[in-house]
Amino acid sequence: MAEQTSKLYAIVHCKCPHCRRGDIFTGSMYGWNIQHTKEVCGHCGQRIEIEPGYFYAAMYVSYAMNVIEMLTASFATYLLFGPLTDDTFWHYLIVIFAGCFILYPFNYRYSRIILLHVLSPNIKYKPYYDK
């Protein structure tokens, strides 16, 4: 009998919340292959987008992630350049927008993963797919 796949492993590796085996995305997070969300899991057949417009809720998760990232970038800029003044304004602006731009693929992917694994009560893990 195969070992059960942990929920943390499934979240980190972007696996299906139903079987924790199949990939949710095609393509890599960063690279030339554009990442797309699959329509169904290749391992268990679970529909990834449960209903039309389901991933609109992922925008709210992405927004929360963006706010945390912007606050972290602002704090790091504060430590490097000091408080926000007229002289350091552009440093803050460049660091915050560069961070948002660089982390966009990460936010896209993991906002959907968090929505599926943590905030979706309709999708339950079925351990019999581990056999």
Side-chain angles (χ1 to χ4, degrees):
M1 185 164 138
E3 235 181 271
Q4 284 189 357
T5 308
S6 73
K7 187 168 193 160
L8 181 63
Y9 175 86
I11 290 172
V12 169
H13 294 283
C14 302
K15 300 296 182 181
C16 170
H18 188 65
C19 66
R20 296 183 184 168
R21 298 283 179 179
D23 292 326
I24 292 179
F25 295 98
T26 60
S28 61
M29 189 178 338
Y30 292 100
W32 298 111
N33 299 357
I34 297 174
Q35 62 180 335
H36 293 285
T37 307
K38 292 183 177 180
E39 291 186 25
V40 295
C41 174
H43 189 262
C44 68
Q46 168 73 37
R47 279 189 51 83
I48 302 299
E49 187 172 7
I50 299 168
E51 58 191 32
Y54 178 72
F55 286 123
Y56 285 128
M59 290 187 304
Y60 298 108
V61 177
S62 178
Y63 176 76
M65 292 169 68
N66 242 341
V67 167
I68 292 168
E69 292 160 0
M70 291 169 89
L71 289 173
T72 304
S74 297
F75 183 69
T77 307
Y78 174 79
L79 292 177
L80 289 173
F81 297 107
L84 179 62
T85 62
D86 289 340
D87 296 333
T88 60
F89 172 76
W90 288 104
H91 295 106
Y92 276 83
L93 196 66
I94 290 169
V95 168
I96 290 170
F97 281 127
C100 289
F101 182 74
I102 291 169
L103 291 173
Y104 170 74
F106 175 84
N107 290 345
Y108 172 81
R109 183 172 283 213
Y110 282 99
S111 64
R112 290 176 177 224
I113 293 297
I114 290 170
L115 181 68
L116 285 169
H117 280 275
V118 180
L119 302 174
S120 291
N122 297 342
I123 302 177
K124 302 287 185 209
Y125 170 60
K126 305 289 190 220
Y128 59 80
Y129 285 111
D130 287 333
K131 297 176 183 174

